[in-house]
Amino acid sequence: DDRIAEAKFVGSGCSISQAAVSMMTTLLKGRSLTDADALAKRFTQLMHGDADAAKDKALGDLRALAGVSKFPVRIKCATLAWNTLQQGLDEFDGQ
């Protein structure tokens, strides 16, 4: 029904990547694919220093990662799972 019933991950990595993916799975559960796509795009904006995204309550606890935007090398860590989600959504949409 265009909803994410479950979101889980198995993996290892730095604390930023693990925190971001953990918060992502919590935030996505029960959301529509359209909402998931919007959240992924908004989180990417947050990681690139967008001040409005840092205030966006739709991102929930992910806003705590706003400071990562000051460390370009670490942005990849925070966005890894979100990029994977975005790729999956794009592939699903292109079926």
Side-chain angles (χ1 to χ4, degrees), residues 22-88:
S22 179
M23 288 186 267
M24 180 187 84
T25 59
T26 301
L27 193 59
L28 291 179
K29 190 173 180 179
R31 299 237 185 200
S32 71
L33 299 181
T34 302
D35 286 348
D37 182 60
L39 284 169
K41 289 175 180 161
R42 193 63 164 160
F43 183 70
T44 299
Q45 292 170 340
L46 175 71
M47 289 297 98
H48 289 95
D50 186 305
D52 289 332
K55 297 175 190 171
D56 190 342
K57 292 184 181 186
L59 290 176
D61 290 341
L62 285 163
R63 293 179 296 157
L65 297 174
V68 172
S69 68
K70 295 178 177 131
F71 304 95
V73 173
R74 305 303 285 184
I75 292 171
K76 289 181 181 181
C77 299
T79 58
L80 177 64
W82 288 93
N83 290 338
T84 303
L85 169 68
Q86 192 69 61
Q87 182 178 355

